[in-house]
Amino acid sequence: MVEYTALKDGIFSPNSVDYNSLMRRRIKKANNPLQPIFEAFSNSLEATSGKHNSIHIELHHIKDKNLFGDKYSFAAFSIVDDGEGFTPASFLRFEKLYDESKNKNNLGSGRVQYLHFFKNTIIESTYSIEGETRNRKIELSKNFYNEFGSVIRSIDENITSNIPVTNSTRVSFFYALSDEDKAKYEQLTCKELKDAILKRYVNVFCLNRDNLQNIYIDHYVNGIFDEENSSKITTDDIPTVDYEETVPIHYSILSNKGTSVIKCSQSEDFVIRSYRLPSNILPRNEVRLTSKGEAFCHQGFNFSLITEAPRIETGISFLFLISSDYLTSRDSDIRGNLNIISKSDFISKRNLFTGKQEILIDDIEDCTISSISTHYPALKKAKDDASENIRKVAEMFSIDSSLLEKAGVKYSDSDINVLRKVYTFTADIKAESDAKIKSIVDNLHELDPNDKGFKRKFDQKVKELNKALPLSVRNELSQYLSRRTLVLQLMEQAIKGQLDIQKIESKTKKKTKNKKQPEGIFHNLLFPKGSSESIESNLWILNEEYIHYHGLSESELDDIKIDGQPLFKQNLTSEELEYKKRASGDVGIRRPDVLLFPSEGKCIIIEFKAPGVDVSKHLHQIHQYASIIHHLSDERYKFNSFYGYLIGENADIYSILDSDGDFQQSQSLGYIVRPYKALPRLFGREQGVLYTEVIKFSDLLKRAKLRSKVFTEKILSESIISKDKI
């Protein structure tokens, strides 16, 4: 029976880190209670080379009897292999944390998981070096650290025996530190342990199926081998290749200008193999690259089109392994860290790759996805759907299809990645275009307006400028103007009550009593509720400058921040607090429809009213908001000048003039304005003033149409643009 025996007279290895801090902050305990077993098993895989080697994973239980029958308690785990053993070089790496000489996944952190899970770890290894057979014993425990300043104690002795001794290493774990982990170990079976190992190492097992180590999962009860409940991983547990295809992938080289990529005739063979696995072993499809006997994910690759596609078969997932001598040649000393570049980086870092031929990540992805989707119809559909989505994105943002290929857009790219790649690629083209545009503008001084040929020369400059603009910019400008045209058409239909939602609500008004929807139509059309992106709003209908101001829509006054700082003063005096929390309720929870902050000391307030609401009954609202912000806002903002807009369709001009003689009627566009209204002076604040306009939605639309007429008539024909008077 495997029992814990402490080392005596061992040497403690010096530490280069504070283990208490390391385990608490950096290398934390893994979530999986089998993590130490995985770490030790990985080391055994690396220490052995194939089917002539054996690895035993031993699960030791102690069986006792009690009133309820047999009771099993956990005794130990052991992982035993007949590999090269713990040589001096191996032990040197073991002592060093973050040593990268082994591979990318083995930086010494495995031993820290030993310390997290078990009180004591014993390693016994017999190895041969320079004709001598030696025995190394190591004990790990975080209990050593406070007393000896180390977690590793070791002994290395020469073995003098006439009997040949074979190499072997045994790693044993004793005394689970967590009661929860201990309970899981007590219930653990060899079948469960086998499934966990298969799930964890399926990539490696598939890759090395024909040269797989003999892997045993052994159960011991009271030190006696329990053959019935033991298990073994064999080639029958590892699937054979479902399909295999060799595809040539061509090298690429930069064009002379370095702004595009040209395919070369030279290519490398890549082998794609697929394996069918039960979904309890492999939860979803996976694509892995292989190099130096290992299968791994590389950070630069994106195979989400395959991995996130619907399941091909019920209860089955597919593992795809990609191998090539090229991948191995591009592997670094840190195994799996491939020196392969994407198309976008190839272009953006052109100075490093001028004249060099490279196989690009994009081409490996495309060829792999094309090969796989050809063999599996469900994945072909996912590929076709992805292509259609990219087409729609390109159409929505007026992106030329040829630009997608040049920018390195892939099937697996999300919408945001498609746009990011296109915009990054076009940045360099834009820089070249900008230089031409600047040259045209800089040479304007050569023109003489008094010259008889001035118009011809000026028109030529305009043509040159238009040609210098990228196609995407011209499309974007056209789309921008088209959007404004449609907004005006939509607003006109809303004013006339011609929207489908308005017709439905008109029929059901008595039943639903929904009074918010009519106002919401106009509110959301001009500045969506809850938004803070004024640049994306349609406030240009009111004033072109307003879309450039910092603004908020439908936000509580208490929650509003300007450049990260609260709008309201935080430490209110008792008088200010009384002003804020008045009998009618806390004014801080009020929500102005729109607030804009154009510059220091100025605030714009906009209120919308449903077409059927009598605006004259809400004249006080803007004035109240201005007064509240004036008196409660933080002193840093110095809000003294307020500009208010009360917008609705039912604006009885004469009722407004009767209620407040300071209002004046505009003779041209029908709105009424109060140029000046003093605000109350409370709490020592400076005098505040309010400018107010009351305007109909229909009059607002007339203003916007006049400003946009020259553009809209260029975009839409007169037969499409409504000429009806509102």
Side-chain angles (χ1 to χ4, degrees):
M1 179 174 176
V2 175
E3 294 181 338
Y4 168 68
T5 303
L7 265 63
K8 297 180 180 179
D9 303 324
I11 299 173
F12 285 96
S13 299
N15 287 326
S16 58
V17 296
D18 179 351
Y19 268 84
N20 288 333
S21 176
L22 176 79
M23 295 173 66
R24 186 173 63 254
R25 297 181 180 179
R26 298 192 61 186
I27 305 178
K28 297 183 179 181
K29 182 181 178 181
N31 294 325
N32 193 332
L34 295 180
Q35 188 63 33
I37 289 81
F38 294 151
E39 298 287 354
F41 183 73
S42 294
N43 290 334
S44 291
L45 285 176
E46 293 187 354
T48 53
S49 56
K51 59 186 178 182
H52 63 279
N53 292 117
S54 297
I55 302 174
H56 290 259
I57 303 174
E58 300 176 357
L59 172 59
H60 292 263
H61 283 131
I62 298 173
K63 183 171 75 171
D64 292 319
K65 291 186 178 293
N66 58 24
L67 294 175
F68 304 100
D70 294 337
K71 179 182 183 301
Y72 288 87
S73 59
F74 170 72
F77 282 113
S78 286
I79 294 85
V80 187
D81 68 68
D82 57 2
E84 64 177 359
F86 238 100
T87 63
S90 299
F91 183 66
L92 184 61
R93 288 194 297 267
F94 185 77
E95 288 184 300
K96 291 182 180 178
L97 197 63
Y98 302 125
D99 179 76
E100 296 182 347
S101 61
K102 203 170 187 181
N103 68 40
K104 72 179 180 70
N105 292 319
N106 195 332
L107 304 179
S109 60
R111 90 173 80 103
V112 180
Q113 295 301 328
Y114 299 170
L115 299 171
H116 274 304
F117 281 88
F118 296 97
K119 178 181 177 183
N120 298 95
T121 301
I122 298 292
I123 303 172
E124 297 179 82
S125 182
T126 301
Y127 65 94
S128 299
I129 186 168
E130 296 180 356
E132 288 187 347
T133 302
R134 302 186 65 83
N135 186 41
R136 188 186 303 278
K137 296 181 180 180
I138 305 168
E139 181 174 7
L140 283 84
S141 176
K142 66 180 182 181
N143 290 348
F144 295 159
Y145 189 71
N146 290 336
E147 183 176 355
F148 301 104
S150 176
V151 297
I152 303 173
R153 176 164 59 185
S154 64
I155 300 173
D156 187 22
E157 300 174 325
N158 187 34
I159 298 177
T160 55
S161 173
N162 295 326
I163 302 174
V165 180
T166 58
N167 290 359
S168 69
T169 299
R170 173 184 289 272
V171 180
S172 299
F173 304 109
F174 301 95
Y175 310 120
L177 293 173
S178 162
D179 290 338
E180 183 180 355
D181 293 337
K182 182 180 178 183
K184 291 179 181 177
Y185 298 150
E186 288 173 347
Q187 300 297 319
L188 185 66
T189 67
C190 285
K191 182 183 183 306
E192 292 170 337
L193 188 52
K194 175 182 175 178
D195 287 345
I197 293 294
L198 281 171
K199 186 179 296 186
R200 178 72 174 230
Y201 295 94
V202 64
N203 297 338
V204 177
F205 293 164
C206 286
L207 191 64
N208 300 293
R209 185 179 187 275
D210 296 332
N211 189 36
L212 190 67
Q213 294 90 336
N214 297 289
I215 302 171
Y216 303 88
I217 294 92
D218 300 331
H219 189 224
Y220 288 84
V221 180
N222 294 340
I224 300 172
F225 178 59
D226 176 15
E227 183 175 1
E228 181 181 354
N229 293 305
S230 294
S231 189
K232 180 182 180 181
I233 294 176
T234 68
T235 53
D236 292 337
D237 297 307
I238 314 302
T240 56
V241 175
D242 190 62
Y243 102 87
E244 178 177 329
E245 182 177 13
T246 300
V247 295
I249 300 181
H250 290 266
Y251 284 83
S252 294
I253 193 169
L254 290 168
S255 64
N256 291 334
K257 290 185 177 180
T259 56
S260 61
V261 172
I262 302 171
K263 288 289 188 297
C264 303
S265 58
Q266 183 183 355
S267 64
E268 297 280 354
D269 285 341
F270 282 70
V271 180
I272 303 168
R273 298 180 179 91
S274 74
Y275 301 83
R276 296 159 49 91
L277 289 155
S279 54
N280 66 312
I281 298 298
L282 190 71
R284 66 172 191 172
N285 297 335
E286 290 190 10
V287 181
R288 296 285 185 265
L289 307 179
T290 68
S291 174
K292 300 179 181 178
E294 288 189 7
F296 50 85
C297 279
H298 186 272
Q299 188 175 5
F301 286 79
N302 183 352
F303 292 105
S304 58
L305 182 73
I306 304 298
T307 59
E308 297 177 9
R311 197 177 295 281
I312 299 173
E313 296 181 30
T314 302
I316 297 294
S317 296
F318 282 79
L319 172 66
F320 301 95
L321 298 181
I322 307 169
S323 59
S324 171
D325 291 340
Y326 183 81
L327 295 177
T328 302
S329 70
R330 291 305 179 101
D331 207 342
S332 65
D333 290 337
I334 304 174
R335 194 174 304 172
N337 187 12
L338 301 180
N339 182 23
I340 304 180
I341 192 168
S342 67
K343 181 183 289 186
S344 57
D345 285 344
F346 193 46
I347 294 173
S348 64
K349 300 175 182 178
R350 62 178 68 89
N351 293 336
L352 298 176
F353 295 99
T354 302
K356 292 184 179 180
Q357 295 184 3
E358 299 282 337
I359 288 182
L360 305 178
I361 287 175
D362 309 63
D363 294 326
I364 297 174
E365 288 179 355
D366 288 345
C367 290
T368 299
I369 292 172
S370 294
S371 172
I372 292 172
S373 60
T374 299
H375 287 80
Y376 300 102
L379 297 182
K380 183 179 186 303
K381 183 179 184 306
K383 176 187 172 185
D384 293 342
D385 290 345
S387 298
E388 175 62 15
N389 182 65
I390 290 173
R391 186 196 66 77
K392 289 180 178 178
V393 171
E395 181 180 341
M396 180 180 295
F397 291 93
S398 303
I399 299 171
D400 188 78
S401 58
S402 63
L403 191 59
L404 295 173
E405 182 180 354
K406 293 176 182 178
V409 171
K410 298 174 282 191
Y411 303 114
S412 54
D413 283 331
S414 62
D415 293 352
I416 191 170
N417 280 338
V418 170
L419 297 175
R420 182 179 289 119
K421 285 184 176 181
V422 169
Y423 295 155
T424 299
F425 175 75
T426 55
D428 286 337
I429 300 176
K430 182 177 182 300
E432 185 177 341
S433 173
D434 287 349
K436 291 181 180 179
I437 292 171
K438 186 175 185 301
S439 175
I440 294 169
V441 174
D442 287 346
N443 292 329
L444 282 177
H445 64 85
E446 298 174 354
L447 296 179
D448 180 4
N450 292 319
D451 188 353
K452 291 183 179 180
F454 169 73
K455 185 180 183 302
R456 176 182 56 80
K457 293 178 181 178
F458 184 79
D459 289 344
Q460 181 60 33
K461 289 284 186 184
V462 171
K463 290 180 181 179
E464 291 176 4
L465 179 61
N466 185 60
K467 187 177 180 180
L469 290 173
L471 178 61
S472 59
V473 173
R474 281 176 269 168
N475 289 339
E476 189 174 324
L477 180 59
S478 176
Q479 184 176 347
Y480 175 76
L481 295 175
S482 298
R483 181 180 184 275
R484 289 197 168 197
T485 301
L486 291 179
V487 167
L488 294 177
Q489 293 296 304
L490 184 61
M491 185 172 177
E492 182 169 344
Q493 291 180 16
I495 293 171
K496 293 180 177 180
Q498 294 175 345
L499 301 181
D500 289 347
I501 184 64
Q502 292 173 308
K503 295 176 183 178
I504 293 172
E505 290 201 347
S506 176
K507 294 178 181 179
T508 61
K509 187 174 181 182
K510 293 182 180 179
K511 296 180 181 179
T512 62
K513 297 181 180 180
N514 188 347
K515 297 180 180 179
K516 292 185 178 180
Q517 185 61 32
E519 177 188 336
I521 289 174
F522 293 94
H523 190 151
N524 287 312
L525 182 61
L526 272 73
F527 197 155
K529 294 182 179 182
S531 173
S532 60
E533 300 294 332
S534 52
I535 190 68
E536 301 293 334
S537 74
N538 291 311
L539 287 179
W540 54 268
I541 292 176
L542 178 60
N543 189 310
E544 195 72 43
E545 294 182 3
Y546 286 1
I547 64 173
H548 301 293
Y549 299 155
H550 172 64
L552 304 102
S553 176
E554 194 81 359
S555 295
E556 287 189 7
L557 291 169
D558 277 339
D559 295 335
I560 294 176
K561 293 184 178 181
I562 304 174
D563 296 330
Q565 300 299 321
L567 168 66
F568 275 2
K569 180 180 175 182
Q570 296 301 289
N571 298 315
L572 299 179
T573 65
S574 58
E575 291 180 341
E576 291 170 333
L577 196 59
E578 183 181 359
Y579 174 84
K580 184 174 185 290
K581 296 179 182 285
R582 54 188 70 176
S584 59
D586 189 340
V587 298
I589 65 172
R590 296 189 185 182
R591 296 171 179 265
D593 286 346
V594 175
L595 286 181
L596 301 173
F597 306 103
S599 61
E600 182 179 290
K602 295 180 180 180
C603 176
I604 297 170
I605 305 167
I606 304 173
E607 283 293 310
F608 304 110
K609 297 302 170 188
V613 174
D614 186 353
V615 174
S616 65
K617 295 181 179 180
H618 297 273
L619 294 175
H620 64 285
Q621 205 165 7
I622 297 264
H623 187 275
Q624 284 185 341
Y625 281 134
S627 183
I628 290 168
I629 295 172
H630 176 56
H631 292 116
L632 295 182
S633 60
D634 194 286
E635 287 88 342
R636 70 165 66 90
Y637 301 122
K638 299 181 175 61
F639 286 128
N640 297 318
S641 298
F642 294 85
Y643 303 83
Y645 296 88
L646 185 58
I647 307 173
E649 191 60 18
N650 185 7
D652 185 339
I653 295 176
Y654 296 113
S655 293
I656 295 172
L657 294 176
D658 287 343
S659 63
D660 191 334
D662 291 334
F663 276 101
Q664 304 169 15
Q665 183 177 1
S666 167
Q667 297 300 318
S668 56
L669 287 175
Y671 68 94
I672 52 179
V673 59
R674 185 174 60 194
Y676 176 89
K677 180 72 173 180
L679 298 176
R681 296 185 63 177
L682 302 175
F683 318 129
R685 296 289 173 116
E686 296 179 9
Q687 180 66 62
V689 295
L690 171 64
Y691 167 94
T692 308
E693 280 188 24
V694 180
I695 186 170
K696 294 182 179 181
F697 285 115
S698 52
D699 289 330
L700 197 61
L701 181 61
K702 288 178 184 177
R703 288 191 197 179
K705 277 190 170 185
L706 286 174
R707 293 199 308 271
S708 301
K709 183 178 179 181
V710 67
F711 301 113
T712 55
E713 291 184 353
K714 293 288 185 181
I715 297 173
L716 300 179
S717 67
E718 293 186 4
S719 61
I720 297 176
I721 299 176
S722 173
K723 294 295 183 178
D724 295 339
K725 293 183 179 180
I726 301 176

